[in-house]
Amino acid sequence: MKTAQICPKGFVSIYYKSLQRNNGLGQSGRRDHHINIICQIQTSLIEVRMRIIAFVLCLLIAPITSAGEAKHSQLVKLLLEKVSENYVMEEKLTEITRSLSDVQMQAEFNELEDPAKIAEILNLTLQQHDKHFGVRWSNPTRKDDKLVYEGWFSKLDRKHSGFKKVEILEGNIGYIDFWGFDNVNAKSESRAHTALQFVSESDALIFDLRNNRGGSADMVRLISSYLLEGRVHLSSIYWKESDSTTEFWTYADIENGAQSAVPVYVLTSKATFSAAEEFAYNLQALKRATIIGEVTKGGANPWKIFDLTDSFRVAIPIAKAVNPITNRNWEGVGVQPDIVTSKDGAFSVAYKLALEELQSSKVTQEQLKEIEEALQSIK
């Protein structure tokens, strides 16, 4: 059997041209010339072999890289589809698409194998545009009956609807510190009523929302009803899916007594979020409260959870708040305090203002003495 040998076209050309050039050379010259030609051919063979090896390596590596990129690209594609279909702020979709595309093009992102890290990067990317976005990963193969996820409202229900401290400060200043706005039901309504009833005879009220991360707009409505006279339009929510608007008004049947007239101070921080921001924003727009502290986090859009895969989920804002007085909300900018101060200094500023206002009003001699002593104690 004859074996066919593959001779690259370039080698034939080199040898053919060499024959044309060496006709006039002597025997020694021809020998040296042939040696030179053989060296050129050997060098060319080495180059070809290296190219073949590089090509084979590319074939071996490419499927791995492509598979990783395809997996991440599919996840980003599903994410973009859900966001485009459901996100209420449609004017931001172009920017969001650009941000996710930039992430998708990054080699570091495509090389990630940890799904929790992938979720974290996508989450941070989306939250640049809206603080209520959230991408989460959960291990579908993990089964641990001892670890049960506790939702925000479950936690509020278990921990007295978020009410942490309710007291009467020296000078007859009511103080309520709470970290969430619970869903309104018979239990939470009773808790809220108990807290507000306790401070119902105070001469001023301080609501501490510095660690309040929000919750239910209905609880915002309920607590606000104790502070406002009659039926007042607090806010509205526009829902993208139904293209409809829900209005939130105070409850006219709440017995608020003198609480609708006393000075109100609301403490805020960078952590104050969502429904807590709504509470402060509404009262500020109605000129019913003085906001003291830091600019809040800036999340005004209610959200809903959507499944991307069996292990990835995304929270997407599906509606937006609209204040009837400003025709805007605090999304992305936060609630701007009337008096800007640090988180730690907000309480002292509010307490001092409340005492000074009482000091200039009609109070008894005994109460005036309490107010002056309290003022001296404030650092």
Side-chain angles (χ1 to χ4, degrees), residues 118-266:
I118 293 170
E120 179 184 347
I121 290 177
L122 294 175
N123 181 66
L124 291 173
T125 302
L126 287 177
Q127 286 198 348
Q128 294 174 5
H129 303 279
D130 193 311
K131 300 297 184 183
H132 272 123
F133 272 122
V135 179
R136 297 288 181 271
W137 174 82
S138 59
N139 190 342
T141 63
R142 181 175 181 176
K143 295 180 179 180
D144 192 340
D145 295 333
K146 295 181 180 179
L147 296 176
V148 179
Y149 173 74
E150 184 177 39
W152 182 245
F153 292 110
S154 296
K155 184 177 180 180
L156 280 165
D157 181 66
R158 179 173 61 84
K159 303 189 74 172
H160 207 76
S161 295
F163 290 100
K164 183 178 180 180
K165 182 185 289 186
V166 182
E167 63 178 320
I168 307 297
L169 305 173
E170 286 297 322
N172 200 35
I173 310 297
Y175 174 78
I176 299 179
D177 180 4
F178 61 120
W179 49 266
F181 286 78
D182 199 359
N183 278 323
V184 174
N185 51 48
K187 188 192 296 184
S188 64
E189 187 172 351
S190 175
R191 290 167 171 173
H193 178 74
T194 299
L196 288 156
Q197 193 66 27
F198 184 78
V199 298
S200 62
E201 297 183 28
S202 301
D203 292 314
L205 292 173
I206 298 175
F207 289 92
D208 195 339
L209 306 184
R210 289 177 293 177
N211 297 305
N212 195 304
R213 292 168 50 200
S216 170
D218 285 323
M219 183 59 77
V220 172
R221 178 187 180 194
L222 178 64
I223 296 176
S224 299
S225 298
Y226 285 86
L227 308 175
L228 296 162
E229 191 70 40
R231 194 164 182 265
V232 179
H233 186 186
L234 296 169
S235 66
S236 298
I237 293 181
Y238 168 76
W239 305 91
K240 177 182 177 179
E241 183 178 11
S242 61
D243 190 26
S244 62
T245 300
T246 303
E247 294 183 348
F248 290 85
W249 294 68
T250 57
Y251 296 100
D253 58 346
I254 295 291
E255 296 182 5
N256 49 21
Q259 286 175 299
S260 61
V262 300
V264 175
Y265 304 89
V266 178

Side-chain angles (χ1 to χ4, degrees), residues 90 106 133 244 363:
E90 295 181 354
Q106 294 175 6
F133 272 122
S244 62
V363 294

